[in-house]
Amino acid sequence: SEVAELLGLMHYMEGLRLITTVELVAPTSDENITVTDTELSGVPVRLYLPRRAPGGLRRAMLFFHGGGWCLGDAGMHGYDHMSRRFSNELNAVVVSVNYRLAPPHRFPAQFEDVYLVTKFFLQSKVLSQYGVDPARVCVAGDSAGGNLAAAVAQQLSEDPEVKTKLRAQVLIYPALQALDLDLPSYRDNAHKPLLPRSLMVRFWSEYFSADPALRAAMASNRHGPPEAGPLLPLVNWSRWLPAAMR
């Protein structure tokens, strides 16, 4: 991907997305789950519906895949396999959302898509259509999807139009802050495979802006505006760390 970008053949993220397409699988139903690719409120989703008798109203999960807001797909083998297990073992309706990716779609497009689907699904008539218990609906996601799940949960709590409340948010190694990119986890994983610090910085910067200056600033951990300096001491991350890591 880096070589292709340097040669002007394609954007770095386009090169990485070529790798993820190899993992795509068709929406295939089995004896336990009916799987379909459809849309909810105009946003593409992969829907998993249990086939066995519900024995009452079902649980439901809205799942947001990871990939640094730039990569990933609900149809990737790993995400498809995981959603099937959630649906089958929990006897739950699972809605795995294919939100828009950066680039070309940057913040807040990803959040807008997952929020739109969640808000639509939480309508009484939609919950009734899928036989879902309004008291047993959760949002979930991994990595960037965990970020989106947390943001959705926060926004729903402040949305007067939404009457149904979430039962839980399930955050799997979520990306929850971008104020300080020099915390112990960033240092410890600076050059480790799959997600080195440089790639995480690239994900964050591509999510926010096309301006390469932001990526350079984030790489040096100098992306906070000077006027925010007095506020940073109030964000004391170390209090959440084990004593040995402070």
Side-chain angles (χ1 to χ4, degrees), residues 88-108:
N88 189 36
E89 295 185 16
L90 298 174
N91 194 23
V93 174
V94 175
V95 181
S96 189
V97 184
N98 263 329
Y99 52 85
R100 288 171 291 173
L101 301 174
H105 306 288
R106 304 186 192 275
F107 175 86

Side-chain angles (χ1 to χ4, degrees), residues 168-183:
Q169 57 176 344
V170 183
L171 312 181
I172 308 168
Y173 46 85
L176 297 183
Q177 69 86 27
L179 294 177
D180 189 345
L181 303 185
D182 196 34
L183 295 175

Side-chain angles (χ1 to χ4, degrees), residues 176-184 221 223-225 227-241 246:
L176 297 183
Q177 69 86 27
L179 294 177
D180 189 345
L181 303 185
D182 196 34
L183 295 175
N221 210 36
H223 54 289
E227 57 269 23
L231 298 176
L232 288 179
L234 303 178
V235 186
N236 182 12
W237 305 114
S238 65
R239 65 178 174 168
W240 304 112
L241 296 173
R246 291 175 189 165

Side-chain angles (χ1 to χ4, degrees), residues 104-115:
H105 306 288
R106 304 186 192 275
F107 175 86
Q110 293 79 351
F111 171 77
E112 290 173 343
D113 285 354
V114 296
Y115 193 74

Side-chain angles (χ1 to χ4, degrees), residues 74-220:
M76 290 176 66
H77 177 266
Y79 288 120
D80 181 73
H81 176 73
M82 187 161 54
S83 295
R84 287 173 184 273
R85 286 197 63 179
F86 288 150
S87 183
N88 189 36
E89 295 185 16
L90 298 174
N91 194 23
V93 174
V94 175
V95 181
S96 189
V97 184
N98 263 329
Y99 52 85
R100 288 171 291 173
L101 301 174
H105 306 288
R106 304 186 192 275
F107 175 86
Q110 293 79 351
F111 171 77
E112 290 173 343
D113 285 354
V114 296
Y115 193 74
L116 191 63
V117 170
T118 305
K119 190 171 179 177
F120 176 84
F121 189 79
L122 289 177
Q123 296 178 95
S124 297
K125 62 181 181 180
V126 179
L127 294 173
S128 177
Q129 175 186 344
Y130 292 108
V132 170
D133 184 349
R136 295 195 297 172
V137 182
C138 77
V139 290
D142 70 306
S143 194
N147 168 286
L148 295 171
V152 166
Q154 289 185 354
Q155 186 65 31
L156 283 174
S157 68
E158 301 175 1
D159 192 332
E161 296 180 357
V162 180
K163 305 305 179 185
T164 302
K165 303 301 181 183
L166 294 175
R167 179 63 180 268
Q169 57 176 344
V170 183
L171 312 181
I172 308 168
Y173 46 85
L176 297 183
Q177 69 86 27
L179 294 177
D180 189 345
L181 303 185
D182 196 34
L183 295 175
S185 60
Y186 275 101
R187 296 182 187 181
D188 292 346
N189 296 282
H191 305 291
K192 291 183 180 177
L194 295 185
L195 192 58
R197 182 179 184 274
S198 59
L199 180 54
M200 192 65 201
V201 167
R202 185 76 188 253
F203 281 143
W204 276 115
S205 62
E206 290 290 352
Y207 181 40
F208 290 135
S209 172
D211 187 353
L214 175 62
R215 184 162 76 248
M218 296 186 90
S220 61

